[in-house]
Amino acid sequence: MRRVVIYPGRIAVEQADVPAPGPNEALVRMLAAGVCGSDLHAAHGRHPFVALPYRPGHEVVGIVEAAGAEAAGAVPGQRVTVQPFLPCWTCKMCTSGRENLCENLQFFGCGYPQGGMADHFTLPADRLYPVPDTLDDHTAALIEPLSTPVHAIRLAGEVTGRSVAVLGAGTIGLFTLAVLRAHGAGKVVCTDPNPGKRARAAALGADVTIDARTPDVAGQVRTALGGSADIVFDCVGIQSSMDQAIAIADKGGTVVVVGVPASEVTVPLPIVQDHQIRIQGSATYLPEDYRESTDLLSRGAVKTADFVTATRPLAQVAEAFELASSGNHVKVLVTVGE
């Protein structure tokens, strides 16, 4: 079979043996896999938790081809997507229903021995999520990335009618905007330095978009919102976006950190304490987020055509990564098609 391996400075498609599923595992044949922002960070050596070389692909849709003797629920011929975080199921986090924060966490496609950008892969059967027949492969590939903002918005609390700022109009920022609109958020302002991304945000329902490089971004956002933001979603995770987020949420607001910081970021702790600003980290998702993500896609609240902007076959995976890095696309899929 073929599998993708990312080395410093190059992306290779290599030959490998088809893995055999263990007793609790399923063998899955890949149909489509999304290029995630974390894949791009890792490929450029900027992901804090993924070292090169690595085997990418965690936004995956495939078909179960075989299952181990104890792989309950894995049915050959069934179309599935992957819940890529691999918990130990025994630590304090796992036993309290927060397995996304597992103290011994492994992550399929991010530093794990296997990734989904391969003709075949194996995973524990309990990490497979059945895909409804009503969703095509491209739509099903959005279940995992959409679950990240679904989880972040759930952690933020009630958003209906509230004023919100979304910093960053990349894939996660645009998904966040779409979920906010589905939840009935009030006025939403999006920031991004890229005019094309700002245009996409406007098309997806942002009331106002602002160039993140302009002076006094926080002041402009607050003016557009008519005051401080109830909630700010930082989908960038760099020093400047965190500075802006704190200023936009001041006083009494919530800042949800959704973007993965490539390095340490500081916060003005005296302001955070004295102005009662809540800073909430958001890490991946839980099964209920997958269910909501599937529902949003099934009823068209999030439309595939707004997000899948390019596809490339597995043999052209390097080009897929280039497109995803260009800033001109939302979600690029790697497929096994022509």
Side-chain angles (χ1 to χ4, degrees), residues 1-5 13-20 55 113-114 117-120:
M1 71 168 196
R2 301 167 299 171
R3 69 179 180 194
V4 176
V5 184
V13 180
E14 300 180 345
Q15 293 294 312
D17 293 333
V18 175
R55 298 179 177 100
Q114 295 188 62
M117 291 186 188
D119 286 321
H120 294 86

Side-chain angles (χ1 to χ4, degrees), residues 163 165 167 218 221-222 225 227-233 241-256 271-272 275-279:
S163 61
L167 309 187
V221 173
R222 290 169 68 100
L225 290 174
S228 62
D230 295 317
I231 308 168
V232 181
F233 293 92
S241 63
M242 178 54 66
D243 291 343
Q244 292 165 5
I246 296 293
I248 293 165
D250 191 21
K251 294 180 174 183
T254 292
V255 175
V256 183
I271 297 294
V272 170
H275 295 186
Q276 202 168 299
I277 299 169
R278 173 189 172 206
I279 299 178

Side-chain angles (χ1 to χ4, degrees), residues 181-217:
R181 282 298 173 228
H183 279 249
K187 200 163 192 178
V188 181
V189 175
C190 290
T191 71
D192 199 279
N194 184 312
K197 292 182 178 181
R198 295 198 302 274
R200 288 186 187 277
L204 287 174
D207 294 289
V208 178
T209 64
I210 294 172
D211 188 339
R213 298 167 300 187
T214 58
D216 191 25
V217 172

Side-chain angles (χ1 to χ4, degrees), residues 23 27-28 39 48 50 52 58 69 79 81 91 96 98 108 160 186 194 230 235 240 242 261 294 300 305 329:
L27 174 70
V28 180
D39 288 319
V50 181
L52 296 173
H58 59 273
R79 201 162 50 110
T81 189
C91 71
S96 62
R98 293 174 288 176
F108 176 75
T160 304
N194 184 312
D230 295 317
C235 301
S240 61
M242 178 54 66
T294 303
H329 291 275

Side-chain angles (χ1 to χ4, degrees), residues 61 79 81 129-143 290 293-300 302 304:
V61 178
R79 201 162 50 110
T81 189
Y129 179 86
V131 172
D133 291 339
T134 53
L135 301 184
D136 62 31
D137 295 341
H138 290 187
T139 304
L142 301 181
I143 293 174
Y290 263 54
S293 177
T294 303
D295 176 66
L296 290 170
L297 291 163
S298 295
R299 59 188 174 90
V302 177
T304 309

Side-chain angles (χ1 to χ4, degrees), residues 37-52 54 237-238 260-264 324-325:
S38 60
D39 288 319
L40 302 178
H41 290 160
H44 292 100
R46 297 197 302 265
H47 196 290
F49 307 118
V50 181
L52 296 173
Y54 86 105
I238 60 176
V260 178
S263 59
E264 290 187 1
S325 298

